[in-house]
Amino acid sequence: MGMKYIDAKMLQKAFLAGAKGLEAKKEWINELNVFPVPDGDTGTNMTMTIMSAAKEVAAIENPTMETLAKAISSGSLRGARGNSGVILSQLFRGFTKEISGTEQVTTTVLANSFVRATETAYKAVMKPKEGTILTVAKGMADKAAELVTETEDVIEFCQKVIEHGDYVLSQTPEMLPVLKQAGVVDSGGQGLMQVVKGAFDCLMGKEVDLSVEGSSQLFQTRTETAHLGDIDIKFGYCTEFIVNLEKPYDEKTELEFKDYLESIGDSLVVVSDDDMVKVHVHTNDPGLAIQRALTYGSLSRMKIDNMREEHQEKLIKESEKLAEQQKAEREKKAEPRKPYGFISVSAGEGLDEIFRGIGADYLIEGGQTMNPSTEDMLNAIDRVNADTVYILPNNKNIILAAEQAKGLVEDKKVVVIPSKTIPQGITAIINFAADLSPEDNERNMIEEMSRVKTGQITYAVRNTVIDDIEIQEGDIMALGDDGILAVGKDIESTVLHSLKSMVEEESELVTIYYGKDVNQDDANVLKEKAEEIFSACEVELHAGGQPIYYYLISVE
């Protein structure tokens, strides 16, 4: 099967097929994450990134290369989550810059697009690491550049590029020892291959479901995105009652009753239970349902709701709520701008309170397994009415999304403080000085938070070997700033063991934040033991409420 070029319509379908190919494998890609802690999110982040673009792509009725390029680039850029998602968005950004000025994608255009995609992605990462998604992308780009003089057949070209991409992916464990120890390939690279393979399947004519949830046009098979006010409620009354059986009611009778109810409505649920029958049906004539039910016995617990009225009430309430929010935002924007403001990523009510207490203007819910997107960052920046906005990602996997948002803001100065943990973020804000310039504050905050040692206590979800340490499923793990601090069988001893490796002679403060799955009494006992062992330090205990991690600990 030969193909000389890809037109805009085919490229649209191929991109959507690539997105669906990634989405179908996202959980498997999550499981490839090296660390055996419950934070495998590469597949989720990449999927949410590409699906953000897919919604825009699917909405284009008559695609051109220019409109596709814009939709893919802007959609993925704003929807990017996590390091893998940001890198994927940058690959798309470079790719689309090359195709936007063309009418047809030939092997030459493809080769140039692959090369430009790789160059753009490498530039976006401060310290590119080989053995990752970048390496896989570069491998395919190099192969594409080599093949462009050998064939004009798009199918042959793509097939050989994919074969080489698979080979490079298989070599990633040789480039990153941590992958080799865990016996896996790079999860980001695997995600990229799923995108490319999904797109190739479409080019080969394979039937692929191209529907995209949340898209309003073209490939959407259901009207899920119809405006709430436009929803057509076919049967307006939600009717519920119980029939207290007084006459014979066998399987044949039940089937006849169900058939009748289905003829006058939908959303039918009929449950028989000894001497009673529970009924739920949406209908335009509740009386007919009731009359039929009365032939079997008496009725109780009758409830009839007008869903059209409820729908209108819901619309009114949502409109009022939206109006109040918009009014509050307008009033806030009308106020004089502050010289500075803070945005912090946080997870847990206790941590939220701490950040608000030390001056955070806006909190973004996030952390491991729930990385906020570039769009989330942009919305937060818009809501902080300040000349200079400091962003504290508090997670190494969120820093790139924050940096990407920074690059899209023109009316404010945005400073990303690259905090990798919650304790680092807290220390950074505390050490902000209002009389310093943004540049001096940035240097000072980064310097001060670098003095903080952090430990995160969680559990292993699978067996593996990391840093020559054998880890069994269910083991308690303490993850430090530079690797594993301790592995144990119970939480308390693992925390104390990790603290012993963190506390030094000059250390003054140990801070313990307990998570939502930790009993306060247990946390108090841990605090007392830490005070006994590290008597030279002050020990503080706070309710963090964070998920996944039993404790966050820091030493200063």
Side-chain angles (χ1 to χ4, degrees):
M1 177 181 177
M3 181 183 293
K4 293 294 184 182
Y5 64 85
I6 302 169
D7 61 19
K9 195 73 175 178
M10 178 55 73
L11 183 63
Q12 180 185 39
K13 291 180 179 179
F15 180 81
L16 294 175
K20 298 289 281 190
L22 174 60
E23 184 181 43
K25 296 289 187 178
K26 70 177 180 182
E27 292 304 330
W28 172 54
I29 294 166
N30 281 341
E31 290 172 4
L32 290 176
N33 276 33
V34 171
F35 271 93
V37 296
D39 64 356
D41 55 2
T42 298
T44 300
N45 284 337
M46 294 183 73
T47 298
M48 294 182 79
T49 299
I50 198 171
M51 294 311 290
S52 175
K55 289 175 186 177
E56 295 191 24
V57 169
I60 303 174
E61 189 170 358
N62 297 303
T64 64
M65 291 299 176
E66 185 177 357
T67 57
L68 283 177
K70 184 177 180 181
I72 293 170
S73 180
S74 64
S76 61
L77 202 67
R78 300 178 78 88
R81 296 172 186 265
N83 292 344
S84 56
V86 171
I87 292 172
L88 182 64
S89 74
Q90 290 296 320
L91 287 169
F92 289 147
R93 185 183 177 203
F95 186 93
T96 54
K97 279 183 178 179
E98 198 65 33
I99 68 165
S100 62
T102 66
E103 294 183 3
Q104 298 174 342
V105 176
T106 62
T107 54
T108 300
V109 173
L110 272 176
N112 292 338
S113 299
F114 272 111
V115 171
R116 191 161 183 178
T118 302
E119 290 173 350
T120 304
Y122 266 87
K123 287 177 183 177
V125 180
M126 190 74 68
K127 296 179 180 178
K129 183 177 290 187
E130 297 305 327
T132 65
I133 181 175
L134 290 171
T135 307
V136 177
K138 187 175 186 303
M140 287 194 286
D142 290 344
K143 189 65 176 179
E146 173 189 321
L147 288 169
V148 74
T149 58
E150 298 179 12
T151 180
E152 293 181 355
D153 183 356
V154 170
I155 298 300
E156 180 186 357
F157 176 91
C158 291
Q159 192 167 18
K160 290 183 177 179
V161 168
I162 289 172
E163 286 175 359
H164 189 69
D166 277 337
Y167 169 74
V168 176
L169 178 65
S170 72
Q171 297 304 299
T172 56
E174 302 302 321
M175 304 175 207
L176 284 178
V178 67
L179 296 177
K180 192 167 188 177
Q181 277 190 322
V184 296
V185 295
D186 177 67
S187 55
Q190 185 70 70
L192 179 61
M193 293 309 303
Q194 294 307 130
V195 174
V196 178
K197 288 178 180 179
F200 182 68
D201 283 344
C202 182
L203 294 180
M204 291 292 291
K206 182 178 178 180
E207 287 293 324
V208 181
D209 175 18
L210 300 179
S211 61
V212 177
E213 184 178 352
S215 170
S216 59
Q217 229 283 321
L218 199 61
F219 298 108
Q220 182 68 14
T221 56
R222 296 169 58 193
T223 57
E224 292 160 323
T225 56
H227 291 295
L228 203 55
D230 297 334
I231 292 175
D232 178 23
I233 300 177
K234 185 177 180 181
F235 297 104
Y237 295 94
C238 177
T239 306
E240 297 177 337
F241 51 80
I242 291 178
V243 184
N244 301 299
L245 295 173
E246 297 169 355
K247 295 181 180 179
Y249 186 86
D250 53 19
E251 288 185 11
K252 181 182 178 183
T253 306
E254 180 178 14
L255 185 60
E256 291 173 350
F257 186 31
K258 287 181 177 179
D259 287 342
Y260 176 75
L261 292 174
E262 284 182 340
S263 72
I264 63 169
D266 65 5
S267 300
L268 178 64
V269 179
V270 176
V271 180
S272 302
D273 185 16
D274 295 332
D275 58 351
M276 69 173 62
V277 179
K278 299 176 183 179
V279 177
H280 171 280
V281 65
H282 292 175
T283 178
N284 285 328
D285 196 337
L288 292 177
I290 289 170
Q291 288 174 20
R292 184 60 174 258
L294 284 170
T295 64
Y296 306 116
S298 60
L299 306 186
S300 62
R301 299 188 184 180
M302 298 175 63
K303 181 173 175 285
I304 301 173
D305 294 321
N306 186 329
M307 293 189 294
R308 293 188 178 95
E309 283 186 359
E310 289 181 346
H311 178 62
Q312 291 301 320
E313 288 176 5
K314 183 179 180 182
L315 283 177
I316 292 170
K317 287 180 179 178
E318 289 184 351
S319 297
E320 290 175 347
K321 183 179 179 181
L322 181 60
E324 288 176 3
Q325 289 176 344
Q326 291 176 342
K327 180 182 177 182
E329 288 178 11
R330 285 196 302 271
E331 290 175 349
K332 192 167 185 180
K333 286 184 178 180
E335 296 174 358
R337 267 195 182 186
K338 302 189 301 180
Y340 54 84
F342 300 94
I343 295 169
S344 178
V345 177
S346 179
E349 292 182 5
L351 296 174
D352 290 352
E353 288 183 15
I354 291 170
F355 276 115
R356 290 192 188 101
I358 58 177
D361 296 274
Y362 191 91
L363 298 178
I364 301 176
E365 183 180 1
Q368 282 307 128
T369 74
M370 48 180 178
N371 298 155
S373 67
T374 299
E375 182 78 28
D376 293 330
M377 295 286 180
L378 290 170
N379 289 336
I381 292 167
D382 185 56
R383 293 187 181 188
V384 176
N385 191 22
D387 294 324
T388 301
V389 179
Y390 296 85
I391 301 180
L392 299 139
N394 302 332
N395 185 292
K396 65 181 181 180
N397 208 31
I398 301 175
I399 294 172
L400 273 182
E403 290 285 359
Q404 187 152 278
K406 172 184 174 180
L408 296 173
V409 176
E410 297 179 353
D411 64 332
K412 299 175 183 177
K413 182 177 179 62
V414 178
V415 179
V416 178
I417 306 298
S419 52
K420 296 180 180 179
T421 63
I422 292 288
Q424 284 186 357
I426 291 172
T427 299
I429 292 188
I430 290 174
N431 283 279
F432 173 82
D435 58 340
L436 295 180
S437 68
E439 293 75 20
D440 287 339
N441 261 311
E442 181 179 5
R443 284 192 294 270
N444 188 52
M445 293 164 78
I446 292 174
E447 182 180 346
E448 290 299 325
M449 75 181 190
S450 69
R451 305 180 196 279
V452 180
K453 297 178 182 178
T454 306
Q456 302 177 93
I457 316 302
T458 187
Y459 59 94
V461 295
R462 64 172 180 264
N463 299 341
T464 191
V465 177
I466 298 177
D467 295 337
D468 296 324
I469 301 173
E470 288 193 12
I471 300 167
Q472 304 298 316
E473 181 180 342
D475 282 353
I476 306 301
M477 300 175 59
L479 308 177
D481 298 320
D482 300 310
I484 296 176
L485 294 171
V487 176
K489 297 299 181 182
D490 69 274
I491 299 171
E492 183 183 285
S493 64
T494 305
V495 173
L496 295 174
H497 185 70
S498 60
L499 279 173
K500 287 178 182 177
S501 66
M502 295 168 67
V503 175
E504 299 176 344
E505 282 187 23
E506 63 271 22
S507 300
E508 298 177 352
L509 176 65
V510 172
T511 307
I512 302 171
Y513 306 89
Y514 61 92
K516 69 174 186 177
D517 296 322
V518 174
N519 181 283
Q520 185 176 353
D521 290 338
D522 292 338
N524 287 330
V525 171
L526 175 62
K527 177 180 183 289
E528 291 172 3
K529 291 188 177 181
E531 286 174 330
E532 290 177 10
I533 298 171
F534 311 105
S535 56
C537 293
E538 180 182 354
V539 179
E540 291 185 355
L541 178 68
H542 300 281
Q546 70 273 4
I548 300 178
Y549 297 102
Y550 298 118
Y551 289 98
L552 299 178
I553 56 177
S554 68
V555 176
E556 298 177 52

